[in-house]
Amino acid sequence: MILKGKAWKFGDSISTDHITPGRYFHLRTNLPELAKHVLEDADPDFAKKFSKGDFVVAGLNFGLGSSREHAPQIIKISGLNAVLAKSFARIFFRNAINIGLLVLECDTDKIKQRDEIEINLEKGIIKNLTQKTEIVFKPLPKVMVTILKDKGLVNHIKKHNGFNLT
Amino acid sequence: MKTPKTISEKIISEHTGGKSVIAGEFVVANIDLAMAQDGTGPLTIQEIKKLTKGKLANPKKTIFFIDHSAPSCRKELSNAHKTIREFAKENGAVLSEVGKGVCHQLLVESYVNPGDLVIGADSHTCTSGAIGAFATGMGSTDVAVGMALGKIWLKVPETWKIEISGKLKENVYSKDLILYIIGKIGADGATYKALEFTGSTIQNMSMSERLTLTNMAVEAGAKTGIIETDSKTKNFLKKYGRANRFRHIFSDEGAKFEKVIKIDASIIEPVVSCPDTVDNVQSVRKLKGLKIDQVFIGTCTNGRIEDLRIAARILKKKKRHTNTRLIVIPASQTIYSEALKEGLIKIFVDADAVVLAPGCGPCVGVHEGILADGEICLSTQNRNFKGRMGNPNSKIYLCSPATAAISAIRGEIAIK
């Protein structure tokens, strides 16, 4: 599968409060509405800027903080293709895979704002089409690849009638 | 000879049908208890319905807590609460109603036992590690799978031994200690790891102080924080009617720790975490004089009876500063009741504090004390991220109940 889109850069330590602000707690049962505020406290106009298929590109420890799965959920339902970051917080990373949102760890310093990015998942290559460079990403553990291929944990369980991971 | 194991390796091994697992392995483990709260519960319920139409693997060990917006402050959340209540009733799950208190405190008071494997759709689920359980926070989907199937996939974490010795100075508390440790490790320094707190300082600590430490393990990125059980754990369980559930949970002699970090508790001063990350730790001395608009004493980190006693001792016969609002919230109904009996609530009210119902209070940014633009809050909670308390144009500093209480009187960050 090949994913193509623009890069939207964010810094280090983007918390789940930046992605899904607590003041929209009441919208957690209305994800399409909540998605209108995606990453609002990191960039108030972000929801107006990106196009479907674009990428969130960040620094260290993306998604730190609360366990709210609504954070990866609204990134996914906004139509963003994936999150690329230097590193991720544990719960966010796991949540993203569980709901079928692609998250990749790589050196994001090589990506500038609005660069055109192309990801070839089978070949394991991220191409920066603007800078004409290639970036390697850290392979996901096998367990996570299986969950992603099955389009999330719930689908995995339903497909195999239980866990089929280890 | 059996391979020596850490607490985490032992507990997870016990939950994989007798398999002997070590750090780094991926396993499917049986869980003893799964919980969600009102923020994560509705999504959890939605996913359970996809899996089993609502049927739960172990209804009596499936708990829904209404604590994040309790009582509800708007109709959307009232409807979310209604969804949770109805689901719990239909499927036999345990419901912890408005006013009972914060999930993590109630888990240790009433539900979690040493040696348990606990998952919760709340990042501070690691709190229960203080009573010798392997407890970790996950998202709604993971917890839905746990509730529906009674199983979860896990990577067995490597353990870091945090060995703490020395006596804390007067006016320095376990909150200062954990903030100091997070300042050292960094907010992502221990990502995926289990932090085992050990050493003479921990042995001398009360359960309340230990719970403050494990509660904040996730703020260093850790999967859990955990502490060997001892006579204090036993007495704690006894207080809540579960003495028979005590087990000695410990890491074996020769167990493999990925890292050992030694901390001298005697050199630590009162500290605060400055905006907007928990690892931005500074000495209170350096911040003395910073004007504050609101002080919040409570939460799963520091809303226990011992915390309220410390705050009450300082606030007794004093008033909060005219320019500084003071909010006090006991972490559970039991604590509220104890505080009433001990006269602490009277002290708070006389100090012009607002005492609110047990729950998360303003910590989550939903209700009960949202900050105005440009305002500063000093809080005993565990997080100070941008917008955490409901307004991205406000700032949050984290501290111990003692620092919070003295600062509330002075109207600025202060030290005794």
Side-chain angles (χ1 to χ4, degrees):
Chain A
M1 190 168 52
I2 292 179
L3 306 170
K4 209 167 155 180
K6 247 195 231 76
W8 295 97
K9 291 270 292 194
F10 294 89
D12 293 339
S13 306
I14 299 296
S15 75
T16 54
D17 279 291
H18 287 103
I19 307 168
T20 337
R23 65 183 175 279
Y24 302 121
F25 200 89
H26 61 286
L27 295 178
R28 287 191 184 185
T29 42
N30 185 353
L31 290 177
E33 271 305 307
L34 188 61
K36 291 181 182 165
H37 304 282
V38 62
L39 279 153
E40 189 172 290
D41 281 357
D43 176 356
D45 299 319
F46 180 60
K48 292 182 209 138
K49 289 179 183 168
F50 69 87
S51 310
K52 277 205 171 15
D54 284 351
F55 300 97
V56 172
V57 178
L60 295 166
N61 208 18
F62 186 87
L64 79 153
S66 104
S67 72
R68 65 190 76 151
E69 197 170 285
H70 315 76
Q73 286 276 12
I74 61 170
I75 293 176
K76 191 184 172 197
I77 68 165
S78 297
L80 290 151
N81 248 335
V83 184
L84 314 182
K86 286 184 195 166
S87 65
F88 290 90
R90 183 188 69 84
I91 305 178
F92 179 89
F93 194 69
R94 203 183 152 106
N95 284 346
I97 301 290
N98 279 341
I99 63 148
L101 171 71
L102 182 65
V103 278
L104 295 173
E105 257 185 52
C106 63
D107 180 4
T108 52
D109 282 342
K110 292 179 179 162
I111 303 170
K112 303 272 176 287
Q113 183 76 321
R114 297 184 195 229
D115 278 358
E116 280 292 327
I117 303 292
E118 185 186 280
I119 302 177
N120 186 324
L121 277 179
E122 277 72 31
K123 289 191 179 159
I125 300 169
I126 301 173
K127 273 189 189 166
N128 186 331
L129 302 174
T130 309
Q131 313 280 344
K132 300 194 171 41
T133 50
E134 282 190 5
I135 306 162
V136 281
F137 59 83
K138 197 175 152 190
L140 291 166
K142 222 181 96 206
V143 166
M144 289 187 157
V145 174
T146 308
I147 296 171
L148 263 184
K149 278 191 177 154
D150 286 343
K151 297 191 167 61
L153 187 63
V154 168
N155 289 331
H156 169 84
I157 302 272
K158 286 174 84 168
K159 184 177 160 187
H160 302 280
N161 200 20
F163 283 101
N164 188 22
L165 291 173
T166 51
Chain B
M1 212 184 89
K2 269 167 69 178
T3 321
K5 284 190 162 59
T6 62
I7 295 178
S8 300
E9 289 168 333
K10 275 190 190 177
I11 296 178
I12 297 173
S13 290
E14 283 184 5
H15 289 81
T16 47
K19 248 175 57 182
S20 172
V21 301
I22 54 159
E25 278 185 62
F26 285 88
V27 300
V28 173
N30 301 313
I31 55 162
D32 295 300
L33 192 148
M35 74 91 172
Q37 30 87 345
D38 45 334
T40 56
L43 191 52
T44 306
I45 289 168
Q46 180 192 302
E47 298 305 302
I48 296 172
K49 285 182 175 165
K50 286 185 197 164
L51 286 159
T52 59
K53 297 192 175 84
K55 196 172 179 301
L56 302 167
N58 194 352
K60 290 198 167 64
K61 294 284 187 171
T62 302
I63 312 169
F64 289 92
F65 293 94
I66 299 180
D67 58 356
H68 277 56
S69 161
S72 167
C73 58
R74 53 190 301 163
K75 69 177 189 319
E76 294 90 339
L77 295 168
S78 308
N79 287 332
H81 291 177
K82 193 176 168 193
T83 303
I84 292 171
R85 282 187 195 105
E86 288 174 358
F87 179 85
K89 202 172 179 188
E90 268 167 43
N91 298 284
V94 180
L95 178 74
S96 179
E97 259 298 352
V98 171
K100 283 282 181 192
V102 189
C103 52
H104 308 300
Q105 178 62 25
L106 296 170
L107 281 170
V108 294
E109 283 183 7
S110 306
Y111 303 104
V112 177
N113 297 308
D116 280 356
L117 203 161
V118 177
I119 60 162
D122 189 292
S123 59
H124 294 107
T125 304
C126 50
T127 312
S128 287
I131 62 167
F134 183 88
T136 189
M138 291 180 168
S140 293
T141 295
D142 270 319
V143 171
V145 169
M147 287 177 172
L149 274 65
K151 291 177 200 294
I152 198 72
W153 74 270
L154 276 177
K155 186 182 172 193
V156 184
E158 290 84 18
T159 300
W160 286 11
K161 190 180 194 173
I162 315 288
E163 210 175 292
I164 309 158
S165 58
K167 198 171 177 294
L168 289 170
K169 283 182 198 155
E170 204 206 322
N171 209 28
V172 178
Y173 299 87
S174 68
K175 181 62 167 289
D176 298 292
L177 173 62
I178 189 64
L179 293 181
Y180 172 85
I181 293 171
I182 294 163
K184 269 186 157 314
I185 297 179
D188 60 350
T191 301
Y192 294 110
K193 311 301 174 192
L195 301 182
E196 186 177 328
F197 299 99
T198 164
S200 59
T201 315
I202 304 296
Q203 283 158 16
N204 292 327
M205 273 187 180
S206 68
M207 284 308 292
S208 171
E209 292 171 286
R210 293 178 186 181
L211 286 159
T212 303
L213 298 180
T214 51
N215 174 267
M216 292 198 69
V218 65
E219 307 310 332
K223 191 166 196 157
T224 194
I226 204 154
I227 295 174
E228 177 175 340
T229 59
D230 60 8
S231 59
K232 288 189 175 150
T233 327
K234 197 173 185 171
N235 289 335
F236 181 88
L237 289 167
K238 197 174 159 193
K239 176 179 173 185
Y240 294 102
R242 302 200 307 290
N244 60 333
R245 300 306 300 268
F246 176 78
R247 278 176 67 195
H248 186 206
I249 304 289
F250 59 99
S251 286
D252 292 329
E253 188 76 39
K256 210 172 140 202
F257 295 100
E258 190 181 70
K259 208 172 190 176
V260 178
I261 298 174
K262 293 197 179 191
I263 306 276
D264 178 2
S266 69
I267 62 159
I268 299 170
E269 293 179 54
V271 290
V272 285
S273 271
C274 301
D276 292 324
T277 53
V278 182
D279 59 358
N280 187 8
V281 179
Q282 301 279 349
S283 152
V284 173
R285 269 188 304 123
K286 272 198 184 161
L287 287 146
K288 245 179 9 187
L290 184 87
K291 299 274 181 262
I292 47 177
D293 302 287
Q294 181 169 295
V295 169
F296 172 34
I297 299 172
T299 76
C300 52
T301 320
N302 279 124
R304 280 173 277 280
I305 190 68
E306 292 83 350
D307 299 313
L308 300 185
R309 283 179 195 140
I310 292 164
R313 219 162 38 227
I314 295 165
L315 288 160
K316 194 171 184 177
K317 296 192 175 134
K318 301 261 175 31
K319 294 261 184 224
R320 65 166 175 85
H321 191 274
T322 336
N323 299 335
T324 306
R325 309 177 294 271
L326 173 60
I327 300 166
V328 180
I329 306 186
S332 75
Q333 204 175 51
T334 308
I335 295 166
Y336 197 175
S337 191
E338 283 175 310
L340 272 169
K341 215 179 285 170
E342 292 180 23
L344 310 184
I345 301 297
K346 172 101 174 66
I347 292 173
F348 297 137
V349 172
D350 288 348
D352 265 352
V354 183
V355 181
L356 296 174
C360 301
C363 177
V364 210
V366 197
H367 67 343
E368 297 182 344
I370 292 167
L371 301 168
D373 291 340
E375 281 194 335
I376 292 176
C377 180
L378 181 67
S379 172
T380 65
Q381 69 198 53
N382 42 34
R383 283 195 176 132
N384 59 352
F385 305 141
K386 186 179 172 187
R388 171 78 182 179
M389 295 180 87
N391 186 343
N393 303 316
S394 61
K395 296 278 179 206
I396 308 160
Y397 290 76
L398 312 176
C399 69
S400 74
T403 301
I406 188 79
S407 302
I409 297 166
R410 305 257 183 92
E412 56 188 35
I413 292 184
I415 197 163
K416 228 172 145 185

